[in-house]
Amino acid sequence: MTSPPLARLKELAFFRDLDDDTTAEIARRGLWFSLAGGWELFRQEARSRTLFIVLSGRLIVVRAGEAGEEVVGYVRAGEPVGEMSLLADEPHSASVYALRDTEILALARADFDALLDARADFARALARSVLLRARRPQSSFRRAAPRVFAFVASSPSIDVEARARAVARALERYALKACWLGEERADEAYRGFEAMESGHDVVILAARIADTSWYKFVLRHADRFLVLARRDARPARPFPLSPDESSPARKFRLVDLVMIHEGLVASSPSEWAEAIEANRIFHWRGPDTVHRLARIIGGKSVGLVLSGGGARAYAHIGAVKALRERGVPIDFVSGASMGAIIAACVAMGWGEEETDARIRDAFVRSNPLGDHVLPVVALTRGARVDERLEKHFGDAMIEDLEIPFFCISSDLTKGEAHVHRRGLLRAALRASVALPGILPPVVTDGALLVDGAVVNNFPADMMAAAHRGITIGIDVAQEATIRVEDFRDPPGFLAWVWRNGFSNPPPIVSLLMRAASARQERARALQPADITVAPDVPGVELRDWKKYDVAVADGYRAAAQKLEACWAHLAPIVDAAKEA
């Protein structure tokens, strides 16, 4: 193919600091070609012979290892790929595929070497790219954020154009330049899609599933798909969401499910999510949904993370109250251990009064860990916790929740975090609060699940991977969570019971609870939230279930102070959200 125009190259990041002669030389020597969405550019362990520079579109970098294939990063327009292997004269360390139709400029090794020798600005640009990737290996996930979104109607009765238009308008409220195109503007898209993409922060393509040129165009040009599905319909299998279902890149495409609650119920969100291999599930329930989708698409969403901390986690309730009073939207919510239970209250859509009543009933009025037994696998039967989770969360499914939710438990068989994104909510919560030695572990599908705090008590890193906006973390386990004096010359068991009765848990409970999360203290610096609130919760220990009001008040106070200090970051989002 002929060389790309020089003016077009100069618009791309890699070429901006190159002089015109160097850019012209690269264009003359390079081969300009198009790689169809889903096709392989090169394979891991293959010999490196070419430098590739992305002119338009999007590539995904995948590395195969003992644990399977892992997404290493993304490559967008204006970025090179394959340069490290070429410079080191080593095989490629990962495979690269086109996630969508992608235009590429290729430089063969001989041309690459000639440019390195003759053009110092080319060598500098390449060195800068290598250093940036080496120093910030995860930055490509942020830089290569999706820009082109496909709204795919799974049924002819879904007004996908109206919904795309509504979200595009909402995006403008968040100071983002957005446009949407339906099939009636297909010719305009065919002629000038590249200019349309470069001129907007977000482009939404609206389409219905059909054997049409427009639908095929949408499949080949979208970075991320939002499949709109009605509850009164069932998904097709296989679901037609790729121009080439045999493509090895198919498994890495980004797909979200948007359930529309119309008509009689004929299917479940889990059925649809399985059929389309959805990463996330949303529910369309009016204007609030429009703004939530706009924030998520535009990178303006707010994710809330609640740490574990036993009774100290009551402080989360006060923190959530402070967020709601200031109008901060919560688009995603997650937690570990007791923080997972408060996060579930938020995801259920419960207000302040309902959350207060339910938590008091489940945890404050009587000790949830009071059904002691002679220990074999735990100090308690766990029946009280089971009964209270069932009473308050019933048969709610995670995929049906109003706000997208996940929680963390720890898989002792694999020594890693187990993320609960679907299934019975109370079962996920029971695993997340199964403190080793205190509550019996949960055995499921060959896994032995215990409290999430063992592996990740503050899953801000997982929340950051789930969305591109601001992550707010409430961490109640940073300060004093255990009383040292309880372990200085402790009394025997009978003496403890004589002084405190059977209703109060002995210090061994605090010891086990603290031991479960203590190893996470050193890891926090590697996974910070954008805004972290750390309530002191003075005088409240992990097992002080009666000190509800003190903890809630301190959580509110700490969150209100932090919000005031960080309001400049949140104000634009809050102001736009108020217009929903």
Side-chain angles (χ1 to χ4, degrees):
M1 187 179 287
T2 58
S3 299
L6 295 184
R8 180 181 173 193
L9 293 181
K10 294 298 285 185
E11 293 174 355
L12 300 173
F14 184 81
F15 295 92
R16 284 177 191 150
D17 294 330
L18 303 183
D19 65 38
D20 292 344
D21 289 342
T22 301
T23 302
E25 183 73 4
I26 293 172
R28 184 183 68 79
R29 290 177 176 272
L31 173 67
W32 183 21
F33 68 96
S34 180
L35 186 66
W39 286 24
E40 178 185 277
L41 181 62
F42 56 76
R43 183 167 297 180
Q44 185 173 334
E45 299 299 333
R47 176 60 59 184
S48 177
R49 297 185 177 90
T50 309
L51 171 72
F52 302 98
I53 302 173
V54 178
L55 304 182
S56 68
R58 192 166 187 244
L59 303 175
I60 186 170
V61 185
V62 179
R63 180 176 295 132
E66 293 182 1
E69 292 178 303
E70 173 192 11
V71 176
V72 178
Y74 301 95
V75 186
R76 288 210 67 130
E79 297 180 347
V81 64
E83 74 280 10
M84 292 187 181
S85 299
L86 201 58
L87 287 167
D89 194 23
E90 294 180 348
H92 291 296
S93 61
S95 299
V96 173
Y97 304 96
L99 269 184
R100 47 180 279 204
D101 284 7
T102 302
E103 288 184 314
I104 295 171
L105 185 68
L107 283 169
R109 175 177 285 280
D111 296 305
F112 174 80
D113 289 339
L115 284 163
L116 276 181
D117 291 340
R119 302 286 179 175
D121 52 347
F122 174 75
R124 284 195 300 271
L126 205 63
R128 185 163 51 247
S129 172
V130 171
L131 287 172
L132 282 173
R133 284 184 178 157
R135 293 175 63 184
R136 303 171 190 168
Q138 297 300 314
S139 65
S140 72
F141 288 98
R142 290 269 183 180
R143 285 200 318 273
R147 178 181 292 184
V148 181
F149 295 81
F151 279 32
V152 177
S154 60
S155 168
S157 63
I158 296 175
D159 191 350
V160 66
E161 292 85 5
R163 296 174 191 270
R165 184 189 306 114
V167 173
R169 286 177 177 170
L171 280 160
E172 300 282 354
R173 304 283 190 186
Y174 293 89
L176 295 167
K177 192 174 182 181
C179 71
W180 74 276
L181 298 92
E183 190 165 7
E184 71 282 355
R185 295 176 63 188
D187 289 341
E188 182 182 346
Y190 299 156
R191 290 193 307 269
F193 184 75
E194 183 183 329
M196 202 170 292
E197 180 182 1
S198 62
H200 293 85
D201 298 305
V202 175
V203 177
I204 299 176
L205 305 176
R208 291 177 176 79
I209 295 173
D211 187 18
T212 62
S213 298
W214 174 245
Y215 185 54
K216 292 174 183 176
F217 177 89
V218 170
L219 291 180
R220 301 185 85 97
H221 287 81
D223 292 326
R224 188 164 201 136
F225 298 88
L226 283 81
V227 176
L228 280 61
R230 293 174 59 110
R231 288 289 296 265
D232 60 356
R234 302 182 75 90
R237 294 176 185 267
F239 195 85
L241 202 58
S242 174
D244 181 6
E245 288 297 311
S246 64
S247 164
R250 174 179 173 273
K251 71 183 78 171
F252 302 113
R253 66 190 177 194
L254 302 173
V255 183
D256 296 323
L257 172 65
V258 182
M259 290 301 303
I260 298 172
H261 295 262
E262 295 178 357
L264 299 174
V265 176
S267 61
S268 66
S270 60
E271 184 179 355
W272 274 97
E274 180 183 351
I276 68 173
E277 300 178 72
N279 302 102
R280 304 178 299 190
I281 300 173
F282 307 111
H283 297 271
W284 194 293
R285 293 189 173 104
D288 286 346
T289 302
V290 173
H291 272 255
R292 173 168 291 149
L293 290 177
R295 288 191 296 272
I296 291 167
I297 287 172
K300 306 291 185 179
S301 52
V302 177
L304 179 63
V305 181
L306 307 181
S307 77
R312 292 170 61 86
Y314 292 152
H316 294 319
I317 297 172
V320 170
K321 178 182 178 182
L323 290 171
R324 286 173 169 168
E325 284 185 354
R326 294 297 296 265
V328 177
I330 300 174
D331 299 306
F332 298 89
V333 63
S334 69
S337 194
M338 189 64 185
I341 290 179
I342 308 303
C345 296
V346 175
M348 291 285 288
W350 295 342
E352 179 188 345
E353 290 184 5
E354 184 169 6
T355 299
D356 178 85
R358 290 181 180 274
I359 294 299
R360 285 183 184 277
D361 180 64
F363 295 95
V364 183
R365 291 198 179 103
S366 62
N367 181 10
L369 302 176
D371 50 348
H372 302 107
V373 294
L374 290 175
V376 176
V377 296
L379 292 173
T380 68
R381 292 187 179 89
R384 283 193 184 182
V385 172
D386 291 342
E387 290 167 2
R388 295 173 192 195
L389 291 177
E390 182 174 9
K391 176 181 179 180
H392 293 285
F393 295 102
D395 295 326
M397 304 295 287
I398 293 175
E399 54 268 33
D400 289 329
L401 295 176
E402 182 174 325
I403 298 173
F405 164 92
F406 69 87
C407 68
I408 306 298
S409 65
S410 303
D411 185 348
L412 293 186
T413 59
K414 296 180 179 178
E416 63 185 26
H418 183 96
V419 186
H420 301 265
R421 299 186 188 275
R422 295 179 196 164
L424 190 62
L425 176 59
R426 59 181 162 88
L429 297 177
R430 175 61 177 81
S432 191
V433 300
L435 279 155
I438 298 176
L439 281 170
V442 173
V443 180
T444 177
D445 297 328
L448 187 66
L449 304 180
V450 298
D451 196 292
V454 173
V455 172
N456 193 343
N457 192 44
F458 188 55
D461 56 334
M462 295 181 177
M463 178 59 78
H467 78 130
R468 298 187 293 111
I470 294 175
T471 295
I472 299 175
I474 317 296
D475 191 352
V476 299
Q478 287 192 6
E479 301 300 330
T481 58
I482 191 166
R483 286 189 289 263
V484 176
E485 291 305 315
D486 286 346
F487 301 90
R488 197 187 307 277
D489 299 323
F493 178 75
L494 293 178
W496 170 266
V497 172
W498 178 259
R499 295 179 191 172
N500 300 277
F502 285 100
S503 60
N504 293 321
I508 189 176
V509 174
S510 294
L511 188 67
L512 291 170
M513 293 174 77
R514 181 57 179 155
S517 60
R519 66 184 295 268
Q520 294 300 317
E521 299 295 337
R522 296 178 63 185
R524 279 199 183 90
L526 301 177
Q527 52 190 44
D530 297 300
I531 298 173
T532 300
V533 181
D536 292 334
V537 202
V540 180
E541 202 206 330
L542 296 165
R543 58 195 171 95
D544 286 335
W545 302 108
K546 296 292 185 183
K547 296 184 178 180
Y548 174 84
D549 294 312
V550 173
V552 171
D554 193 66
Y556 177 86
R557 181 169 50 253
Q561 291 174 352
K562 192 70 173 185
L563 286 174
E564 188 66 33
C566 300
W567 193 244
H569 298 289
L570 292 167
I573 295 174
V574 172
D575 291 343
K578 287 178 179 177
E579 299 177 13

